Amino acid sequence: SRILELVENAGAKKSRSENFITKFARYYTPIVVIVAVLLAVIPPLFVPGQLFSDWVYRAMVFLVTSCPCALVISVPLGFFGGIGGASRNGVLVKGGNYLEALADTEIVVFDKTGTLTRGVFRVKEIVPQQMSPQELLRLAAYAESSSNHPISLSLREAWGQEIDRNQIEAVEELAGLGVEAVISGAKVLAGNEKLMRQEQVPMSEQQLPGGTIVHLAVNGCYAGYILIADELKGDAVEAVTKLKAAGIKKTVMLTGDDQSIAAEVAATVGVDEFYARLLPADKVAKVEELLNSKSARGKLAFVGDGINDAPVLARADIGIAMGGLGSDAAIEAADVVLMTDEPAKISDAIGISQRTLRIVRQNIVFALAVKLVILVLGAIGMASMWAAVFADVGVAVLAILNAMRVLQNPLPRHLRR
């Protein structure tokens, strides 16, 4: 319920860019109609020797020329082409406004687990105290038996035996901390170091290895820990490198893991900043801070995959979710979905966005320039109806053909493989 509340509040704050064509047509259409009427009526009334029919013809040329077909058709078609081209590259964009926003991305924020890392955990080491490694692993697997979290799945996989549900008397999940369970009459705590401190479980002062660590306590006594390792995705380093090459000003990693794990991953992939031990609400607060640090026009993109990432995906200017392994909540809250779960596709999406906007702007400038020239020539009687038809239909066809280029070759040349 807390996650849903965060998503709802974050979604309400997201700004939406207004459609250029809607704003343009609101003023453009009535103005040109009024000008055409005045062009047909005023000169014959106030200039001696002028034929009414000549000025009506000029007004008709003016009106046909001014028809905004090229803009109305080619601009949305350019965005549709960009969205279609992105989908061919395994990137689903949920709307033209998000495609447009991608081009202005200044900050890219990554979740760690499942985004930069594979999210496939394996038990690497079992360090018990006053019990056997198998017993410590059994208690951890039983305590985590009701969760679908990757860490929980890795513990059950390492245990490798059927869970006897009759031994589990109660289970309570503690958000951002771990679980509390009663197993065969014993109170078992399984979670992070913060959980141990909160429950005042005395822990021995020892140097812990880097990685995800699940601490266990039985009846208030520390029982040991289990080290779980996660692997970086093959293109994680490439993803950050390509983003920096594309001009992204800052890359940031947010994670709920410990500081040592976060520091190791951040150094390996090359992000500019990282923040560790964050709960879902903390991630939203951190994104709020980062949003305040960007320029007025710049955008912040957040990349995540889990249900805990849904509030941040909703709050960011652009939410990017992993589509293959990501949760339904994350995919629903996101604006862009990477179907191949490859973070390197983010730079492709930004490149497609920038190419799409270049083609759309070309169409706008070309259409307006041709129309302006023919409008002036038509008003002074130097353009025929054929010129007006070209300025309307001909320019529209050329703009459509130009817009189709982004569908055929969506990526800029430097990103094409």
Side-chain angles (χ1 to χ4, degrees):
S1 63
R2 177 64 177 153
I3 294 293
L4 291 174
E5 181 184 347
L6 287 168
V7 171
E8 190 174 305
N9 292 338
K13 295 180 182 177
K14 180 177 289 187
S15 61
R16 298 186 179 184
S17 59
E18 294 190 37
N19 188 289
F20 169 79
I21 294 302
T22 302
K23 291 176 66 176
F24 183 80
R26 187 182 304 166
Y27 302 102
Y28 176 82
T29 304
I31 288 173
V32 294
V33 170
I34 292 171
V35 171
V37 171
L38 295 176
L39 189 63
V41 174
I42 292 178
L45 293 179
F46 294 97
V47 180
Q50 297 293 319
L51 295 176
F52 186 75
S53 59
D54 290 341
W55 286 99
V56 169
Y57 182 81
R58 293 187 190 185
M60 292 173 63
V61 170
F62 185 94
L63 199 58
V64 171
T65 303
S66 64
C67 183
C69 293
L71 296 174
V72 173
I73 296 172
S74 67
V75 173
L77 186 61
F79 283 107
F80 293 154
I83 292 171
S87 66
R88 287 185 176 182
N89 283 268
V91 180
L92 299 184
V93 184
K94 294 186 178 180
N97 53 334
Y98 303 123
L99 187 68
E100 183 179 9
L102 275 169
D104 296 322
T105 304
E106 288 184 355
I107 302 174
V108 176
V109 183
F110 294 94
D111 173 51
K112 182 184 79 67
T113 305
T115 303
L116 292 175
T117 63
R118 295 184 182 279
V120 180
F121 292 88
R122 296 286 184 270
V123 172
K124 190 175 181 181
E125 187 179 1
I126 303 173
V127 183
Q129 291 188 7
Q130 300 178 350
M131 65 174 61
S132 68
Q134 276 297 100
E135 179 62 14
L136 185 69
L137 181 59
R138 184 186 75 86
L139 290 174
Y142 273 57
E144 299 277 3
S145 61
S146 299
S147 174
N148 288 323
H149 192 280
I151 292 177
S152 305
L153 296 175
S154 69
L155 290 169
R156 296 204 295 274
E157 183 181 347
W159 172 240
Q161 300 179 37
E162 187 176 349
I163 302 292
D164 184 1
R165 299 286 176 182
N166 294 325
Q167 296 185 34
I168 305 171
E169 300 172 25
V171 177
E172 180 185 359
E173 292 198 21
L174 307 173
L177 300 172
V179 297
E180 178 182 321
V182 179
I183 302 171
S184 300
K187 179 182 176 182
V188 177
L189 295 172
N192 54 27
E193 188 177 339
K194 191 184 296 184
L195 174 62
M196 298 295 114
R197 290 200 304 268
Q198 179 176 295
E199 297 296 323
Q200 299 181 347
V201 175
M203 297 173 59
S204 59
E205 297 294 331
Q206 57 182 317
Q207 184 68 33
L208 296 175
T212 299
I213 295 178
V214 178
H215 297 276
L216 279 95
V218 180
N219 292 328
C221 297
Y222 188 68
Y225 68 84
I226 298 174
L227 175 64
I228 298 172
D230 190 10
E231 296 180 7
L232 277 177
K233 287 186 176 177
D235 64 335
V237 177
E238 178 192 359
V240 176
T241 303
K242 288 173 69 175
L243 285 173
K244 291 182 178 180
I248 299 301
K249 294 182 178 178
K250 184 189 293 185
T251 54
V252 183
M253 185 184 77
L254 306 181
T255 178
D257 285 343
D258 290 336
Q259 187 79 9
S260 60
I261 305 168
E264 183 180 350
V265 174
T268 303
V269 300
V271 293
D272 300 316
E273 298 176 8
F274 72 91
Y275 301 92
R277 294 186 176 182
L278 300 177
L279 297 175
D282 298 329
K283 289 183 180 181
V284 175
K286 186 58 65 177
V287 165
E288 291 279 4
E289 291 180 21
L290 292 168
L291 283 167
N292 293 329
S293 68
K294 63 182 180 61
S295 68
R297 178 170 180 152
K299 304 295 182 184
L300 180 146
F302 178 83
V303 193
D305 75 305
I307 187 171
N308 288 346
D309 298 323
V312 203
L313 288 165
R315 179 62 192 100
D317 293 320
I318 311 154
I320 304 175
M322 298 291 163
L325 297 175
S327 71
D328 290 343
I331 294 171
E332 182 67 26
D335 309 312
V336 179
V337 181
L338 306 180
M339 296 307 297
T340 58
D341 283 345
E342 298 174 81
K345 292 286 187 182
I346 301 168
S347 58
D348 290 352
I350 293 174
I352 291 170
S353 169
Q354 292 170 343
R355 177 169 164 78
T356 300
L357 282 185
R358 277 198 298 271
I359 289 176
V360 166
R361 287 168 184 153
Q362 287 171 9
N363 283 342
I364 291 173
V365 172
F366 174 67
L368 291 180
V370 172
K371 286 181 180 295
L372 181 61
V373 171
I374 304 299
L375 283 173
V376 173
L377 293 176
I380 62 177
M382 295 181 63
S384 67
M385 186 59 73
W386 287 111
V389 170
F390 170 77
D392 179 23
V393 181
V395 168
V397 170
L398 292 175
I400 290 169
L401 292 174
N402 191 40
M404 289 174 64
R405 292 193 299 129
V406 74
L407 182 61
Q408 300 302 320
N409 294 296
L411 288 171
R413 286 190 179 87
H414 69 280
L415 290 176
R416 294 177 194 172
R417 296 174 178 85

